[in-house]
Structure formats: C-alpha cells, structure tokens
Amino acid sequence: LARRRWMDDRMKYEGDRTFQLRATHALDSLKTRIDSLDRAIARKEFALLKETPVSPAWYYHYKNVAIQSDREKDTAYVAQVKALYEQVPEEVRMTPIGSQIATYVYTPPKVQVGSPMADGVLFDMEGNVHHLAELKGKYILLDFWSARCSACIAALPELKEVAERYKEKLEVVSLFSGNISDWKYLVAKYHMTGNQWSDLQQRYAGLCGAYQVWGFPTFFVISPEGQIIKTWSGYATDGRKGAIDYN
C-alpha cells in the first residue's frame, strides 16, 4: 500500500523535482525491503517443496521460487532450485505452468548496455516467427510494454512518429509481455502498426527476463551491429511528447 501511494503521488506531482527525488528514494527503499522479504519467503517455500509430493499447488509454489532464484547471488542455492526441476513430470513440462517454470529456471543470459542484444523466437499478430537479428543493419528501438500500463499507451503516438521520421535507419519493435488475448485486444483498439511482436511469455520471463525489465514501458536502443547502446524506462502520462526522440 505504501508503494502504491508513493507511485500515485509521484505521478500527481510530476513537475515537482524535489518531490520526485523524495518519492524515488522512498520507492527504492521500499523495493529493497520487499525484495528481501520475497527472497526470504521463497527460501521457506523451497524448503517445503523438497519435502512435499508434486501437485498443482507444488508447481505454483515452485514457479514462485524459480522467479526469486533469478535474483539470488548464492549459486549453490540456485543450483538446488534448478535441480528440483527434475521432479516436474514430462507431461507437465508441456503445459502452460510447466512452460513458465522452465522459463524461470532456465533464464537466458542477462544483457546490459555494451553487450550484444539478446534474441529469441518472436511472433507477430498472424503467428509468423521473427528474430531481432533480421533487423541488423539498422538501429533498433525496443519498446517493452504490457497491459494495464497507462504510460505504455501514452507513448504510442510518439513511437509512431519516431518510426516514420527515422524509417530509413531505425526499426521500432514493440514487444508485448502478457496474455495473448490482452495483446491482440490492445493492438486492435489503438490501431497499432509496424513491428508488433511478442515472445508469448509472461512479464519477467523470456526476453523481459534477459533484458532485466522490471517496469513498463522500458526502452532499449540497439546499434546496427546488434549491440545495446542505451536504455531507459517510463513515459509521461500528461500528454507531453519528445522523451523518446530525445533519447
């Protein structure tokens, strides 16, 4: 509740720089405390999983443990979490929950500014397969977005303008994270065009996990050679434009 209050107030007083700094400090402090509690809960869940027979509830809690293990620095503990995957039956691994567990257990290598871009199997609205590698030779602007994100929707007009203005040397790729039904609904509702792709993974998994995206929208600029050269997050929801073009 405290985190939500600070986030709401930060949007309300967007023009007050002093308040913005205070709110950012408070949110960072809360995030540290929340992350610490999440990791402690995950470790207790893990201890119970080792003693409990597999079941639908077991898979749910194992997924939570796998998500948190991605933030752990204790390599021995992470190895134990991965080893627990052997208890997931073959027939369950092919189900949605099994696929999600595998995604969190075997996350792709993390990337950052200066490293080569992470790539994956990406689908367009018609189900055709794409890869970021096919756009090499141009700059790529990756736009990670999701449902129920007002800032993501606010960024759409400028994204369209930037894609048109720099179309000779830049490709804008909007990567949706979330349910396919939400994705198709929003693309249709807002008449979104261009490279509307998704790896069909839930937030924090797939390419979101590889690019360490924890909030939406998050943007990455990739060089024509496939190297990450810049990243930033957020977008103003008060109608102001220019942040994307500026970056």
Side-chain angles (χ1 to χ4, degrees):
L1 289 174
R3 185 184 181 194
R4 171 54 58 187
R5 188 182 73 249
W6 276 110
M7 290 177 71
D8 289 344
D9 286 348
R10 188 167 66 172
M11 291 179 66
K12 187 188 302 182
Y13 302 106
E14 195 164 7
D16 187 334
R17 180 165 177 75
T18 300
F19 183 84
Q20 290 295 310
L21 291 171
R22 187 155 60 93
T24 298
H25 176 75
L27 285 167
D28 287 345
S29 177
L30 284 169
K31 184 179 184 303
T32 299
R33 291 166 60 190
I34 292 169
D35 287 348
S36 177
L37 287 170
D38 284 343
R39 287 195 297 272
I41 291 170
R43 284 188 172 247
K44 289 186 178 296
E45 284 182 304
F46 177 68
L48 289 172
L49 288 173
K50 291 192 295 183
E51 303 172 356
T52 308
V54 295
S55 66
W58 190 94
Y59 304 136
Y60 173 81
H61 287 286
Y62 183 34
K63 184 183 78 169
N64 290 342
V65 169
I67 291 172
Q68 291 302 321
S69 72
D70 191 43
R71 306 179 189 180
E72 282 280 356
K73 296 181 180 180
D74 184 343
T75 55
Y77 170 72
V78 173
Q80 292 180 54
V81 172
K82 291 183 183 296
L84 202 62
Y85 185 71
E86 294 301 317
Q87 294 190 36
V88 179
E90 229 19 88
E91 62 272 17
V92 174
R93 297 182 187 186
M94 302 301 294
T95 65
I97 185 67
S99 175
Q100 290 174 30
I101 290 171
T103 298
Y104 293 120
V105 170
Y106 300 104
T107 55
K110 300 294 187 292
V111 297
Q112 56 189 348
V113 172
S115 65
M117 67 182 183
D119 206 347
V121 177
L122 303 169
F123 300 89
D124 62 23
M125 299 298 293
E126 286 72 45
N128 301 308
V129 174
H130 297 275
H131 300 277
L132 294 175
E134 68 193 57
L135 302 177
K136 277 189 175 182
K138 283 187 173 183
Y139 286 94
I140 302 172
L141 172 60
L142 289 185
D143 160 36
F144 285 91
W145 69 291
S146 186
R148 292 170 286 281
C149 170
S150 58
C152 298
I153 301 306
L156 294 180
E158 188 177 355
L159 282 168
K160 188 173 182 179
E161 291 176 10
V162 167
E164 178 61 27
R165 184 178 303 123
Y166 302 109
K167 61 184 178 183
E168 299 300 324
K169 60 180 181 180
L170 172 75
E171 289 283 349
V172 175
V173 178
S174 293
L175 291 179
F176 182 80
S177 177
N179 296 324
I180 188 171
S181 56
D182 288 339
W183 177 40
K184 291 186 173 182
Y185 168 76
L186 291 168
V187 168
K189 179 179 180 179
Y190 293 102
H191 309 289
M192 298 170 68
T193 57
N195 302 312
Q196 301 300 326
W197 297 352
S198 175
D199 60 3
L200 306 183
Q201 299 287 348
Q202 297 299 311
R203 59 176 60 193
Y204 313 136
L207 283 187
C208 261
Y211 283 86
Q212 303 182 71
V213 174
W214 302 112
F216 301 98
T218 293
F219 303 94
F220 287 82
V221 178
I222 299 172
S223 74
E225 296 74 36
Q227 185 179 56
I228 299 170
I229 56 179
K230 193 167 190 177
T231 181
W232 71 97
S233 298
Y235 193 85
T237 57
D238 59 0
R240 288 179 293 163
K241 291 195 297 185
I244 296 174
D245 199 6
Y246 173 80
N247 281 285

